[in-house]
Amino acid sequence: MPTDLTIHHQAAGYPVNGKKLKKLSNWLLDQCRVKDYNVSLLLIDDQEITRLNSHYRNNCKPTNVLSFPFAEGADESLATLPVKELGDIIISVETALKESIKYNQTLHERMSWLVIHGMLHLLGYDHERSESDERKMFNKENELLNKLNNYRRTGMTKLAINVDHVATIRQARGIDEPDPVSAASICELAGAAGIVIHLREDRRHIQDRDVYLLRQTIKTKLNLEMGANKDIIKIALEVKPDMITLVPEKRQELTTEGGLDVFSQQKKIGKVIDKMTAASIPVSIFADPDPKQLAAAKEVGATFVELHTGRYCDVIGEGNRDHEFQLLQEAAEAASQMGLRVCAGHGLNYQNTAPIAALDTIEELSIGHAIIARAVFTGLDQAVKEMLAIVRQANCTI
Ligand code: PXP
């Protein structure tokens, strides 16, 4: 890994998220176009940084960050260095914590700024050299901080909520409540980034009326799950959801049982995608974590794949669960490398969602049953917020 993070034992008691900090440092290397270089990040306390400050800078006081470029004193540009080493960034977590309180920031926010500051020193920026150099470094720091804030805003895994089972309860009585249209509004108000519905051929839960009304009322994003069926395709083209997800559909199944076999039906699926593309509707394919299916999804022109998490959720035994997780992790990475946007869903609940939400390449999760089931006891608003908290917490962004 380009960033080698060491937390000195004296700094070990501070609430630093090392994984997140390392990711941030790697992201910075990328932003500064030196991602093939290594950097060493060392976290220490005030006593230790005072010793270093005194020894190397003749200043017997604690400071927040010290940088030691590998090429210091050498008259060489980075490109001519014999090894791809940028140098060391040393941060006193103790000072960082005091500063975070003073500036009303979280410790991670303060540490992020210190890593940026230290990294720029390693890259030759120096605010002590002259006024114009100070301005240059200040501007670069601000540019990176803005990019970082933007990344943090947009890089989070989103939660889309499937409201099919609100309709299931309604259909059990054949009356008009509970209404999935009202449920969708509550989900959106609670923070959901999108609403998912599956208009099945047998209309067992979502009805045509729901699809048309939801199109008019949803403020976030409507994802229509559907089989490649002529009548449903017609409705989708009329309604124009924000995206569709193609799933296999069997009359007898209780719920979708597996990913779509796009590999064996490329011609048929390709035709549906062509129709949707002509109507500017992006298509996602619900796929098992199988490289052959992902490649076929890309081949037929899908924009997204939704990785089927069902086996990971249902499998018994920790070893088997780890294996299924690894398949999903590799599939998410492979799909992203192919240029597909990646979602995931099916069977996710309050216990098993966190590791999936933490996968970098997954943009969005589609979760239904677990949230609607909890809502029976807690109310829908609370059930959505509790799942959102899990997704946000797991989302170890930078
Ligand atoms: N994604 C797809 C493609 C689905 O078919 C379903 C179930 O309708 C879900 C996600 C949501 O699954 P669950 O209801 O188990 O969260």
Side-chain angles (χ1 to χ4, degrees), residues 127-188:
H127 53 94
E128 289 176 345
R129 206 159 36 210
S130 69
E131 259 183 41
S132 86
D133 280 326
E134 185 183 358
R135 221 175 14 255
K136 222 166 125 190
M137 183 158 175
F138 178 78
N139 289 344
K140 189 67 187 173
E141 246 166 40
N142 272 346
E143 179 196 316
L144 289 170
L145 276 171
N146 286 339
K147 277 191 185 169
L148 178 59
N149 287 335
N150 202 27
Y151 183 90
R152 281 176 175 156
R153 265 198 308 276
T154 56
M156 295 282 289
T157 305
K158 297 186 184 78
L159 174 63
I161 302 199
N162 182 316
V163 294
D164 289 352
H165 296 306
V166 176
T168 303
I169 300 171
R170 176 189 61 190
Q171 297 311 111
R173 275 295 167 96
I175 54 173
D176 57 9
E177 59 182 10
D179 191 339
V181 179
S182 311
S185 298
I186 294 170
C187 293
E188 288 187 314

Short mmCIF file of all heavy atoms in Angstrom, two decimals, residues 127-188:
data_model
loop_
_atom_site.label_atom_id
_atom_site.label_comp_id
_atom_site.label_asym_id
_atom_site.label_seq_id
_atom_site.Cartn_x
_atom_site.Cartn_y
_atom_site.Cartn_z
N HIS A 127 5.32 27.10 3.04
CA HIS A 127 4.70 28.40 3.39
C HIS A 127 5.67 29.32 4.11
O HIS A 127 5.41 30.50 4.29
CB HIS A 127 3.43 28.19 4.24
CG HIS A 127 3.65 27.35 5.45
ND1 HIS A 127 3.93 27.86 6.68
CD2 HIS A 127 3.63 26.00 5.62
CE1 HIS A 127 4.07 26.88 7.55
NE2 HIS A 127 3.90 25.74 6.93
N GLU A 128 6.85 28.78 4.50
CA GLU A 128 7.79 29.64 5.24
C GLU A 128 8.83 30.28 4.33
O GLU A 128 9.59 31.14 4.75
CB GLU A 128 8.50 28.80 6.33
CG GLU A 128 7.57 28.44 7.48
CD GLU A 128 8.19 27.55 8.53
OE1 GLU A 128 9.27 26.96 8.27
OE2 GLU A 128 7.60 27.43 9.61
N ARG A 129 8.83 29.88 3.06
CA ARG A 129 9.89 30.32 2.15
C ARG A 129 9.69 31.77 1.73
O ARG A 129 10.62 32.57 1.76
CB ARG A 129 9.92 29.40 0.92
CG ARG A 129 11.25 29.32 0.25
CD ARG A 129 11.41 28.06 -0.60
NE ARG A 129 10.20 27.66 -1.28
CZ ARG A 129 9.91 26.40 -1.58
NH1 ARG A 129 10.74 25.43 -1.28
NH2 ARG A 129 8.80 26.11 -2.21
N SER A 130 8.51 32.15 1.33
CA SER A 130 8.23 33.53 0.89
C SER A 130 6.72 33.74 0.91
O SER A 130 5.96 32.77 1.04
CB SER A 130 8.74 33.73 -0.55
OG SER A 130 7.95 32.96 -1.43
N GLU A 131 6.32 34.98 0.75
CA GLU A 131 4.88 35.25 0.76
C GLU A 131 4.17 34.57 -0.41
O GLU A 131 3.07 34.05 -0.27
CB GLU A 131 4.64 36.76 0.68
CG GLU A 131 4.31 37.35 2.03
CD GLU A 131 3.99 38.81 1.98
OE1 GLU A 131 3.29 39.24 1.03
OE2 GLU A 131 4.46 39.53 2.87
N SER A 132 4.83 34.60 -1.56
CA SER A 132 4.17 33.99 -2.73
C SER A 132 4.09 32.47 -2.56
O SER A 132 3.12 31.83 -2.94
CB SER A 132 4.85 34.40 -4.03
OG SER A 132 5.91 33.55 -4.30
N ASP A 133 5.13 31.87 -1.93
CA ASP A 133 5.07 30.42 -1.66
C ASP A 133 3.98 30.10 -0.64
O ASP A 133 3.32 29.06 -0.73
CB ASP A 133 6.42 29.92 -1.14
CG ASP A 133 7.40 29.69 -2.28
OD1 ASP A 133 6.95 29.30 -3.37
OD2 ASP A 133 8.60 29.93 -2.10
N GLU A 134 3.81 31.00 0.31
CA GLU A 134 2.77 30.78 1.33
C GLU A 134 1.39 30.77 0.65
O GLU A 134 0.55 29.92 0.92
CB GLU A 134 2.84 31.90 2.38
CG GLU A 134 1.87 31.67 3.52
CD GLU A 134 1.86 32.81 4.53
OE1 GLU A 134 2.64 33.78 4.37
OE2 GLU A 134 1.05 32.74 5.46
N ARG A 135 1.20 31.74 -0.28
CA ARG A 135 -0.08 31.83 -1.00
C ARG A 135 -0.32 30.56 -1.83
O ARG A 135 -1.40 30.01 -1.88
CB ARG A 135 -0.07 33.07 -1.89
CG ARG A 135 -1.39 33.81 -1.87
CD ARG A 135 -1.44 35.11 -2.61
NE ARG A 135 -0.37 35.40 -3.52
CZ ARG A 135 0.61 36.29 -3.27
NH1 ARG A 135 0.65 36.94 -2.15
NH2 ARG A 135 1.57 36.50 -4.17
N LYS A 136 0.78 30.15 -2.49
CA LYS A 136 0.68 28.95 -3.35
C LYS A 136 0.25 27.72 -2.54
O LYS A 136 -0.63 26.96 -2.94
CB LYS A 136 2.06 28.69 -3.96
CG LYS A 136 2.03 28.29 -5.41
CD LYS A 136 3.39 28.39 -6.00
CE LYS A 136 3.78 27.07 -6.63
NZ LYS A 136 5.18 27.01 -7.02
N MET A 137 0.87 27.58 -1.37
CA MET A 137 0.54 26.40 -0.55
C MET A 137 -0.88 26.51 0.00
O MET A 137 -1.63 25.52 0.01
CB MET A 137 1.54 26.29 0.61
CG MET A 137 1.31 25.05 1.45
SD MET A 137 2.79 24.60 2.37
CE MET A 137 2.18 23.24 3.35
N PHE A 138 -1.26 27.72 0.42
CA PHE A 138 -2.60 27.95 0.96
C PHE A 138 -3.66 27.62 -0.11
O PHE A 138 -4.65 26.94 0.16
CB PHE A 138 -2.69 29.42 1.41
CG PHE A 138 -4.03 29.81 1.94
CD1 PHE A 138 -4.41 29.46 3.23
CD2 PHE A 138 -4.94 30.53 1.15
CE1 PHE A 138 -5.65 29.82 3.72
CE2 PHE A 138 -6.19 30.88 1.63
CZ PHE A 138 -6.55 30.52 2.93
N ASN A 139 -3.40 28.08 -1.35
CA ASN A 139 -4.36 27.81 -2.44
C ASN A 139 -4.48 26.32 -2.73
O ASN A 139 -5.58 25.81 -2.94
CB ASN A 139 -3.95 28.53 -3.73
CG ASN A 139 -4.15 30.03 -3.60
OD1 ASN A 139 -4.87 30.48 -2.69
ND2 ASN A 139 -3.50 30.81 -4.46
N LYS A 140 -3.35 25.64 -2.74
CA LYS A 140 -3.37 24.20 -3.02
C LYS A 140 -4.09 23.44 -1.91
O LYS A 140 -4.87 22.52 -2.17
CB LYS A 140 -1.92 23.69 -3.16
CG LYS A 140 -1.81 22.26 -3.67
CD LYS A 140 -2.28 22.13 -5.11
CE LYS A 140 -2.34 20.68 -5.53
NZ LYS A 140 -2.94 20.52 -6.86
N GLU A 141 -3.84 23.88 -0.68
CA GLU A 141 -4.51 23.25 0.47
C GLU A 141 -6.03 23.39 0.34
O GLU A 141 -6.78 22.44 0.52
CB GLU A 141 -4.10 23.97 1.75
CG GLU A 141 -3.30 23.13 2.70
CD GLU A 141 -2.65 23.98 3.77
OE1 GLU A 141 -3.29 24.94 4.27
OE2 GLU A 141 -1.50 23.70 4.08
N ASN A 142 -6.46 24.60 0.00
CA ASN A 142 -7.90 24.85 -0.15
C ASN A 142 -8.49 24.04 -1.29
O ASN A 142 -9.60 23.51 -1.17
CB ASN A 142 -8.17 26.34 -0.40
CG ASN A 142 -8.31 27.05 0.92
OD1 ASN A 142 -8.47 26.41 1.95
ND2 ASN A 142 -8.26 28.36 0.90
N GLU A 143 -7.74 23.95 -2.38
CA GLU A 143 -8.23 23.17 -3.53
C GLU A 143 -8.46 21.70 -3.10
O GLU A 143 -9.51 21.11 -3.37
CB GLU A 143 -7.18 23.25 -4.65
CG GLU A 143 -7.54 22.47 -5.89
CD GLU A 143 -6.33 22.26 -6.79
OE1 GLU A 143 -5.56 23.22 -6.99
OE2 GLU A 143 -6.16 21.11 -7.25
N LEU A 144 -7.48 21.15 -2.38
CA LEU A 144 -7.62 19.75 -1.96
C LEU A 144 -8.73 19.57 -0.92
O LEU A 144 -9.48 18.59 -0.97
CB LEU A 144 -6.28 19.23 -1.40
CG LEU A 144 -5.19 19.03 -2.46
CD1 LEU A 144 -3.84 18.76 -1.80
CD2 LEU A 144 -5.53 17.87 -3.40
N LEU A 145 -8.86 20.54 -0.02
CA LEU A 145 -9.93 20.45 0.99
C LEU A 145 -11.31 20.50 0.33
O LEU A 145 -12.21 19.76 0.71
CB LEU A 145 -9.82 21.59 2.00
CG LEU A 145 -8.83 21.34 3.15
CD1 LEU A 145 -8.62 22.60 3.96
CD2 LEU A 145 -9.33 20.21 4.05
N ASN A 146 -11.45 21.36 -0.68
CA ASN A 146 -12.73 21.44 -1.40
C ASN A 146 -13.04 20.12 -2.11
O ASN A 146 -14.17 19.63 -2.07
CB ASN A 146 -12.72 22.57 -2.43
CG ASN A 146 -12.83 23.92 -1.74
OD1 ASN A 146 -13.28 23.98 -0.60
ND2 ASN A 146 -12.40 24.99 -2.40
N LYS A 147 -12.01 19.57 -2.76
CA LYS A 147 -12.22 18.28 -3.45
C LYS A 147 -12.60 17.20 -2.44
O LYS A 147 -13.45 16.35 -2.70
CB LYS A 147 -10.92 17.86 -4.15
CG LYS A 147 -10.73 18.49 -5.50
CD LYS A 147 -9.58 17.81 -6.20
CE LYS A 147 -9.28 18.50 -7.51
NZ LYS A 147 -8.02 18.05 -8.09
N LEU A 148 -11.96 17.24 -1.29
CA LEU A 148 -12.22 16.24 -0.26
C LEU A 148 -13.66 16.36 0.24
O LEU A 148 -14.37 15.35 0.36
CB LEU A 148 -11.23 16.45 0.90
CG LEU A 148 -11.37 15.54 2.11
CD1 LEU A 148 -11.21 14.08 1.72
CD2 LEU A 148 -10.32 15.89 3.17
N ASN A 149 -14.09 17.58 0.50
CA ASN A 149 -15.47 17.77 0.98
C ASN A 149 -16.48 17.30 -0.06
O ASN A 149 -17.49 16.69 0.26
CB ASN A 149 -15.72 19.24 1.35
CG ASN A 149 -15.01 19.57 2.64
OD1 ASN A 149 -14.75 18.69 3.45
ND2 ASN A 149 -14.65 20.83 2.83
N ASN A 150 -16.17 17.60 -1.31
CA ASN A 150 -17.04 17.18 -2.39
C ASN A 150 -17.09 15.65 -2.48
O ASN A 150 -18.16 15.05 -2.60
CB ASN A 150 -16.48 17.76 -3.70
CG ASN A 150 -17.55 17.84 -4.73
OD1 ASN A 150 -18.72 17.95 -4.39
ND2 ASN A 150 -17.17 17.77 -5.99
N TYR A 151 -15.93 15.03 -2.37
CA TYR A 151 -15.86 13.56 -2.40
C TYR A 151 -16.66 12.97 -1.26
O TYR A 151 -17.39 12.00 -1.42
CB TYR A 151 -14.39 13.12 -2.31
CG TYR A 151 -14.21 11.63 -2.40
CD1 TYR A 151 -14.02 11.01 -3.63
CD2 TYR A 151 -14.24 10.83 -1.26
CE1 TYR A 151 -13.86 9.63 -3.72
CE2 TYR A 151 -14.10 9.45 -1.34
CZ TYR A 151 -13.90 8.87 -2.57
OH TYR A 151 -13.75 7.51 -2.65
N ARG A 152 -16.53 13.60 -0.07
CA ARG A 152 -17.26 13.07 1.09
C ARG A 152 -18.76 13.19 0.90
O ARG A 152 -19.52 12.34 1.35
CB ARG A 152 -16.84 13.83 2.36
CG ARG A 152 -15.50 13.35 2.88
CD ARG A 152 -15.04 14.14 4.07
NE ARG A 152 -13.82 13.58 4.61
CZ ARG A 152 -12.94 14.25 5.32
NH1 ARG A 152 -13.13 15.53 5.58
NH2 ARG A 152 -11.86 13.67 5.78
N ARG A 153 -19.18 14.27 0.24
CA ARG A 153 -20.62 14.45 0.02
C ARG A 153 -21.18 13.44 -0.97
O ARG A 153 -22.26 12.92 -0.81
CB ARG A 153 -20.90 15.87 -0.51
CG ARG A 153 -21.28 16.86 0.56
CD ARG A 153 -21.95 18.06 -0.06
NE ARG A 153 -21.18 18.64 -1.14
CZ ARG A 153 -20.20 19.52 -0.97
NH1 ARG A 153 -19.89 19.94 0.23
NH2 ARG A 153 -19.54 20.00 -2.00
N THR A 154 -20.41 13.18 -2.04
CA THR A 154 -20.97 12.38 -3.13
C THR A 154 -20.53 10.91 -3.10
O THR A 154 -21.11 10.09 -3.78
CB THR A 154 -20.57 12.97 -4.49
OG1 THR A 154 -19.14 13.04 -4.52
CG2 THR A 154 -21.14 14.35 -4.70
N GLY A 155 -19.49 10.60 -2.33
CA GLY A 155 -18.92 9.25 -2.40
C GLY A 155 -19.59 8.23 -1.50
O GLY A 155 -19.20 7.08 -1.47
N MET A 156 -20.60 8.65 -0.72
CA MET A 156 -21.25 7.74 0.23
C MET A 156 -22.12 6.70 -0.49
O MET A 156 -22.78 7.03 -1.47
CB MET A 156 -22.19 8.52 1.14
CG MET A 156 -21.53 9.51 2.04
SD MET A 156 -20.78 8.72 3.45
CE MET A 156 -22.22 8.22 4.37
N THR A 157 -22.14 5.49 0.04
CA THR A 157 -23.09 4.50 -0.47
C THR A 157 -24.51 4.97 -0.15
O THR A 157 -24.79 5.41 0.97
CB THR A 157 -22.87 3.14 0.22
OG1 THR A 157 -21.51 2.78 0.03
CG2 THR A 157 -23.76 2.07 -0.37
N LYS A 158 -25.39 4.91 -1.14
CA LYS A 158 -26.75 5.40 -0.94
C LYS A 158 -27.68 4.23 -0.55
O LYS A 158 -27.39 3.09 -0.88
CB LYS A 158 -27.26 6.05 -2.22
CG LYS A 158 -26.45 7.28 -2.61
CD LYS A 158 -27.10 7.97 -3.81
CE LYS A 158 -26.27 9.14 -4.26
NZ LYS A 158 -25.10 8.71 -5.06
N LEU A 159 -28.77 4.60 0.09
CA LEU A 159 -29.75 3.59 0.47
C LEU A 159 -31.05 3.85 -0.28
O LEU A 159 -31.68 4.90 -0.12
CB LEU A 159 -30.00 3.67 1.99
CG LEU A 159 -31.12 2.77 2.52
CD1 LEU A 159 -30.79 1.29 2.30
CD2 LEU A 159 -31.35 3.02 4.01
N ALA A 160 -31.43 2.87 -1.11
CA ALA A 160 -32.73 2.94 -1.80
C ALA A 160 -33.64 1.92 -1.12
O ALA A 160 -33.19 0.82 -0.75
CB ALA A 160 -32.56 2.61 -3.27
N ILE A 161 -34.90 2.29 -0.94
CA ILE A 161 -35.79 1.41 -0.19
C ILE A 161 -36.87 0.81 -1.07
O ILE A 161 -37.55 1.52 -1.82
CB ILE A 161 -36.40 2.18 1.00
CG1 ILE A 161 -35.20 2.67 1.82
CG2 ILE A 161 -37.35 1.29 1.81
CD1 ILE A 161 -35.42 3.06 3.18
N ASN A 162 -36.98 -0.49 -0.95
CA ASN A 162 -37.98 -1.23 -1.70
C ASN A 162 -39.27 -1.28 -0.86
O ASN A 162 -39.26 -1.80 0.25
CB ASN A 162 -37.45 -2.65 -1.98
CG ASN A 162 -38.40 -3.47 -2.79
OD1 ASN A 162 -39.60 -3.46 -2.53
ND2 ASN A 162 -37.89 -4.20 -3.76
N VAL A 163 -40.35 -0.70 -1.41
CA VAL A 163 -41.61 -0.63 -0.64
C VAL A 163 -42.63 -1.68 -1.08
O VAL A 163 -43.81 -1.59 -0.73
CB VAL A 163 -42.23 0.80 -0.72
CG1 VAL A 163 -41.33 1.81 -0.02
CG2 VAL A 163 -42.52 1.22 -2.15
N ASP A 164 -42.17 -2.71 -1.79
CA ASP A 164 -43.09 -3.77 -2.25
C ASP A 164 -43.94 -4.33 -1.12
O ASP A 164 -45.13 -4.62 -1.29
CB ASP A 164 -42.30 -4.97 -2.83
CG ASP A 164 -41.66 -4.65 -4.16
OD1 ASP A 164 -41.93 -3.57 -4.72
OD2 ASP A 164 -40.86 -5.48 -4.64
N HIS A 165 -43.29 -4.53 0.06
CA HIS A 165 -44.01 -5.25 1.11
C HIS A 165 -45.03 -4.41 1.86
O HIS A 165 -45.84 -4.95 2.61
CB HIS A 165 -43.02 -5.99 2.02
CG HIS A 165 -42.28 -7.04 1.24
ND1 HIS A 165 -42.95 -8.01 0.52
CD2 HIS A 165 -40.97 -7.22 0.99
CE1 HIS A 165 -42.07 -8.76 -0.11
NE2 HIS A 165 -40.86 -8.30 0.15
N VAL A 166 -45.01 -3.12 1.63
CA VAL A 166 -46.12 -2.30 2.12
C VAL A 166 -47.34 -2.68 1.27
O VAL A 166 -48.44 -2.89 1.79
CB VAL A 166 -45.80 -0.79 2.00
CG1 VAL A 166 -47.00 0.04 2.42
CG2 VAL A 166 -44.57 -0.44 2.82
N ALA A 167 -47.08 -2.85 -0.03
CA ALA A 167 -48.17 -3.27 -0.93
C ALA A 167 -48.62 -4.70 -0.63
O ALA A 167 -49.79 -5.04 -0.77
CB ALA A 167 -47.73 -3.14 -2.38
N THR A 168 -47.67 -5.55 -0.19
CA THR A 168 -48.04 -6.93 0.16
C THR A 168 -49.11 -6.92 1.26
O THR A 168 -50.09 -7.67 1.20
CB THR A 168 -46.80 -7.72 0.65
OG1 THR A 168 -45.81 -7.68 -0.35
CG2 THR A 168 -47.14 -9.16 0.99
N ILE A 169 -48.92 -6.07 2.25
CA ILE A 169 -49.89 -6.01 3.38
C ILE A 169 -51.23 -5.48 2.86
O ILE A 169 -52.29 -5.99 3.21
CB ILE A 169 -49.34 -5.11 4.52
CG1 ILE A 169 -48.02 -5.69 5.04
CG2 ILE A 169 -50.35 -5.00 5.66
CD1 ILE A 169 -47.28 -4.79 6.02
N ARG A 170 -51.16 -4.49 1.99
CA ARG A 170 -52.41 -3.96 1.43
C ARG A 170 -53.15 -5.05 0.65
O ARG A 170 -54.37 -5.24 0.84
CB ARG A 170 -52.07 -2.78 0.48
CG ARG A 170 -53.29 -2.22 -0.23
CD ARG A 170 -52.89 -1.22 -1.30
NE ARG A 170 -52.06 -1.86 -2.34
CZ ARG A 170 -51.42 -1.20 -3.29
NH1 ARG A 170 -51.48 0.12 -3.33
NH2 ARG A 170 -50.72 -1.84 -4.19
N GLN A 171 -52.41 -5.77 -0.20
CA GLN A 171 -53.05 -6.78 -1.06
C GLN A 171 -53.63 -7.93 -0.23
O GLN A 171 -54.57 -8.59 -0.67
CB GLN A 171 -52.07 -7.32 -2.10
CG GLN A 171 -51.55 -6.28 -3.08
CD GLN A 171 -52.61 -5.43 -3.72
OE1 GLN A 171 -52.71 -4.24 -3.45
NE2 GLN A 171 -53.44 -6.02 -4.59
N ALA A 172 -53.08 -8.14 0.99
CA ALA A 172 -53.59 -9.23 1.83
C ALA A 172 -55.07 -9.01 2.16
O ALA A 172 -55.80 -9.96 2.42
CB ALA A 172 -52.77 -9.32 3.11
N ARG A 173 -55.50 -7.74 2.16
CA ARG A 173 -56.89 -7.44 2.45
C ARG A 173 -57.67 -6.94 1.23
O ARG A 173 -58.88 -6.74 1.29
CB ARG A 173 -56.95 -6.35 3.55
CG ARG A 173 -56.87 -6.92 4.95
CD ARG A 173 -58.11 -7.77 5.20
NE ARG A 173 -57.98 -8.59 6.38
CZ ARG A 173 -58.43 -8.27 7.58
NH1 ARG A 173 -59.00 -7.10 7.77
NH2 ARG A 173 -58.30 -9.08 8.57
N GLY A 174 -56.92 -6.65 0.17
CA GLY A 174 -57.57 -6.17 -1.04
C GLY A 174 -58.24 -4.81 -0.85
O GLY A 174 -59.21 -4.49 -1.55
N ILE A 175 -57.73 -4.04 0.09
CA ILE A 175 -58.28 -2.68 0.27
C ILE A 175 -57.22 -1.67 -0.14
O ILE A 175 -56.27 -2.03 -0.83
CB ILE A 175 -58.78 -2.46 1.72
CG1 ILE A 175 -57.68 -2.79 2.73
CG2 ILE A 175 -60.01 -3.32 1.97
CD1 ILE A 175 -58.02 -2.46 4.16
N ASP A 176 -57.34 -0.40 0.30
CA ASP A 176 -56.37 0.55 -0.24
C ASP A 176 -55.33 1.03 0.78
O ASP A 176 -54.70 2.07 0.56
CB ASP A 176 -57.09 1.73 -0.93
CG ASP A 176 -58.04 2.44 0.02
OD1 ASP A 176 -57.99 2.11 1.23
OD2 ASP A 176 -58.79 3.28 -0.44
N GLU A 177 -55.17 0.32 1.86
CA GLU A 177 -54.07 0.67 2.75
C GLU A 177 -53.43 -0.57 3.38
O GLU A 177 -54.09 -1.60 3.47
CB GLU A 177 -54.55 1.65 3.82
CG GLU A 177 -55.67 1.12 4.68
CD GLU A 177 -56.12 2.16 5.71
OE1 GLU A 177 -55.72 3.33 5.66
OE2 GLU A 177 -56.88 1.75 6.59
N PRO A 178 -52.16 -0.43 3.78
CA PRO A 178 -51.30 0.75 3.70
C PRO A 178 -50.86 1.04 2.26
O PRO A 178 -50.73 0.11 1.46
CB PRO A 178 -50.10 0.37 4.57
CG PRO A 178 -50.02 -1.13 4.47
CD PRO A 178 -51.43 -1.60 4.33
N ASP A 179 -50.64 2.32 1.99
CA ASP A 179 -50.35 2.75 0.62
C ASP A 179 -48.84 2.88 0.41
O ASP A 179 -48.19 3.66 1.10
CB ASP A 179 -51.04 4.10 0.39
CG ASP A 179 -51.03 4.50 -1.07
OD1 ASP A 179 -50.18 3.96 -1.82
OD2 ASP A 179 -51.85 5.35 -1.46
N PRO A 180 -48.25 2.14 -0.54
CA PRO A 180 -46.81 2.25 -0.78
C PRO A 180 -46.39 3.66 -1.23
O PRO A 180 -45.23 4.03 -1.09
CB PRO A 180 -46.54 1.22 -1.88
CG PRO A 180 -47.86 0.89 -2.46
CD PRO A 180 -48.89 1.13 -1.41
N VAL A 181 -47.36 4.41 -1.74
CA VAL A 181 -47.04 5.78 -2.17
C VAL A 181 -46.76 6.64 -0.94
O VAL A 181 -45.78 7.41 -0.91
CB VAL A 181 -48.19 6.37 -3.03
CG1 VAL A 181 -47.87 7.78 -3.46
CG2 VAL A 181 -48.42 5.48 -4.25
N SER A 182 -47.59 6.49 0.10
CA SER A 182 -47.33 7.22 1.35
C SER A 182 -46.03 6.73 1.97
O SER A 182 -45.23 7.52 2.49
CB SER A 182 -48.45 7.01 2.37
OG SER A 182 -49.70 7.22 1.77
N ALA A 183 -45.82 5.40 1.93
CA ALA A 183 -44.59 4.83 2.51
C ALA A 183 -43.36 5.43 1.84
O ALA A 183 -42.37 5.77 2.51
CB ALA A 183 -44.59 3.31 2.34
N ALA A 184 -43.42 5.58 0.52
CA ALA A 184 -42.26 6.13 -0.21
C ALA A 184 -41.93 7.54 0.28
O ALA A 184 -40.76 7.89 0.47
CB ALA A 184 -42.55 6.13 -1.71
N SER A 185 -42.98 8.34 0.53
CA SER A 185 -42.73 9.71 1.02
C SER A 185 -42.06 9.69 2.37
O SER A 185 -41.12 10.45 2.62
CB SER A 185 -44.04 10.50 1.15
OG SER A 185 -44.64 10.60 -0.09
N ILE A 186 -42.52 8.79 3.25
CA ILE A 186 -41.91 8.71 4.59
C ILE A 186 -40.44 8.29 4.47
O ILE A 186 -39.57 8.84 5.13
CB ILE A 186 -42.71 7.74 5.49
CG1 ILE A 186 -44.11 8.32 5.75
CG2 ILE A 186 -41.99 7.47 6.81
CD1 ILE A 186 -45.09 7.37 6.42
N CYS A 187 -40.17 7.32 3.60
CA CYS A 187 -38.78 6.87 3.39
C CYS A 187 -37.91 8.03 2.91
O CYS A 187 -36.79 8.23 3.39
CB CYS A 187 -38.72 5.74 2.36
SG CYS A 187 -39.49 4.21 2.91
N GLU A 188 -38.43 8.80 1.97
CA GLU A 188 -37.65 9.92 1.45
C GLU A 188 -37.39 10.96 2.54
O GLU A 188 -36.29 11.47 2.68
CB GLU A 188 -38.39 10.58 0.27
CG GLU A 188 -38.36 9.72 -0.98
CD GLU A 188 -38.93 10.46 -2.19
OE1 GLU A 188 -40.00 11.08 -2.04
OE2 GLU A 188 -38.31 10.40 -3.27
#
